[in-house]
Amino acid sequence: MKIVGHVSGSELLKGFDTVRKIIELDIGVELQLTSKILDSFTLKEYGKLRKLAQTKPITVHAPFLDLNPGATDRYVLEATRKRFEETLIAAKVLEAEVIVFHTGFHPAKIYPIYDTWLKTAIETFRYIAERSSCKIALENVFDEVPDHLERLLKELPENVGVCIDIGHLNLFSEKPIELWIEKFKGRIFEFHIHDNNGKKDEHTVVGNGTFDFDTFFKLLEKIPNSYIFNLENKRPEDVEESLRRILDD
């Protein structure tokens, strides 16, 4: 298992101080590449970030606001794919190990057009996977069940897996964490680790919410530990505290 800490796009736009603080914890970083980052950063800046991380792992979170890889509107779809392609370029310079993508699934919006959305999303992620220099991880967000991710993976190459976000599971999943891990145990590339009260996506410190971490860590003993833990807290101090708590366990 490798560990990285979250650095938001808004923090990156201010400079690299937050990246330095995470690196000083002796872990890697997950860089959130928002559209503003992709519009303003040069390849040289990505190179500086790679150098700053030294030999520690870097992962990337692709942009997702306003985007939909299964969009029926061709303009939205073109914009989504263009942003994803830009993310691939940045990830290559960063020598990222994993890129995390949102699938665009939302029950209220997608169920009425599910078959069309699924077909288009498969085409988008197949195109991205064929051009990626690193692993691709599809993240659960509003998913109540693992079925939608499972259907996507069945049609995608082996360099595409999942990022299980346990905070999102705590909010939206109708199924227990045991089922999610059992479904994807051979293709779990990353976990997003944070906590909440079961009502709001707080991204709080491990153990400060209602997620059952004791059960979670016991389940991890049964699967290969080749995954990456991204401590997806909002502040470096919270990343540090989450790190301390998971290492103590």
Side-chain angles (χ1 to χ4, degrees), residues 36-246:
K36 288 184 179 179
I37 294 291
L38 294 174
D39 284 343
S40 60
F41 273 31
T42 64
L43 297 182
K44 185 176 180 180
E45 284 166 305
Y46 296 128
K48 288 180 180 178
L49 283 165
R50 176 65 266 176
K51 186 176 181 180
L52 182 60
Q54 301 174 8
T55 60
K56 295 179 178 65
I58 291 179
T59 59
V60 164
H61 198 307
F64 56 89
L65 289 177
D66 304 321
L67 305 181
N68 184 353
T72 57
D73 186 316
R74 69 181 179 89
Y75 292 136
V76 176
L77 185 60
E78 287 172 6
T80 300
R81 291 176 175 176
K82 182 177 181 180
R83 286 302 192 195
F84 285 4
E85 288 171 345
E86 291 170 350
T87 302
L88 292 183
I89 294 169
K92 187 172 183 179
V93 178
L94 289 164
E95 299 176 11
E97 298 192 17
V98 177
I99 308 174
V100 177
F101 290 91
H102 286 190
T103 66
F105 176 80
H106 189 292
K109 295 194 300 183
I110 300 304
Y111 277 138
I113 56 165
Y114 187 80
D115 290 342
T116 300
W117 169 83
L118 182 66
K119 179 177 180 293
T120 306
I122 288 169
E123 291 172 353
T124 296
F125 286 119
R126 185 179 291 137
Y127 175 86
I128 294 302
E130 289 171 352
R131 288 157 178 79
S132 179
S133 60
C134 59
K135 292 180 177 179
I136 301 297
L138 307 183
E139 178 183 349
N140 63 293
V141 183
F142 301 106
D143 303 64
E144 321 101 310
V145 292
D147 304 39
H148 316 300
L149 286 174
E150 188 176 24
R151 288 171 187 149
L152 284 167
L153 289 195
K154 282 182 178 178
E155 303 298 328
L156 295 170
E158 291 298 312
N159 65 328
V160 182
V162 297
C163 168
I164 295 182
D165 186 304
I166 62 176
H168 294 161
L169 289 187
N170 202 43
L171 287 170
F172 304 113
S173 179
E174 299 172 354
K175 303 296 181 180
I177 183 66
E178 290 91 336
L179 178 64
W180 287 81
I181 289 179
E182 178 61 30
K183 284 276 188 181
F184 300 118
K185 61 185 177 183
R187 292 174 78 174
I188 300 174
F189 295 164
E190 184 166 320
F191 287 97
H192 280 179
I193 306 298
H194 54 102
D195 211 345
N196 59 61
N197 61 7
K199 298 177 181 179
K200 184 179 178 182
D201 197 12
E202 299 167 299
H203 286 258
T204 191
V205 171
V206 167
N208 282 8
T210 60
F211 184 77
D212 184 357
F213 280 97
D214 289 339
T215 296
F216 174 63
F217 285 119
K218 288 176 183 176
L219 291 169
L220 293 184
E221 295 173 1
K222 301 177 181 180
I223 65 172
N225 67 349
S226 55
Y227 49 80
I228 292 175
F229 261 19
N230 173 34
L231 305 179
E232 202 177 38
N233 302 119
K234 296 179 179 179
R235 304 182 306 160
E237 309 93 274
D238 293 340
V239 171
E240 183 175 12
E241 181 60 18
S242 287
L243 178 64
R244 185 188 67 78
R245 293 185 184 186
I246 67 170

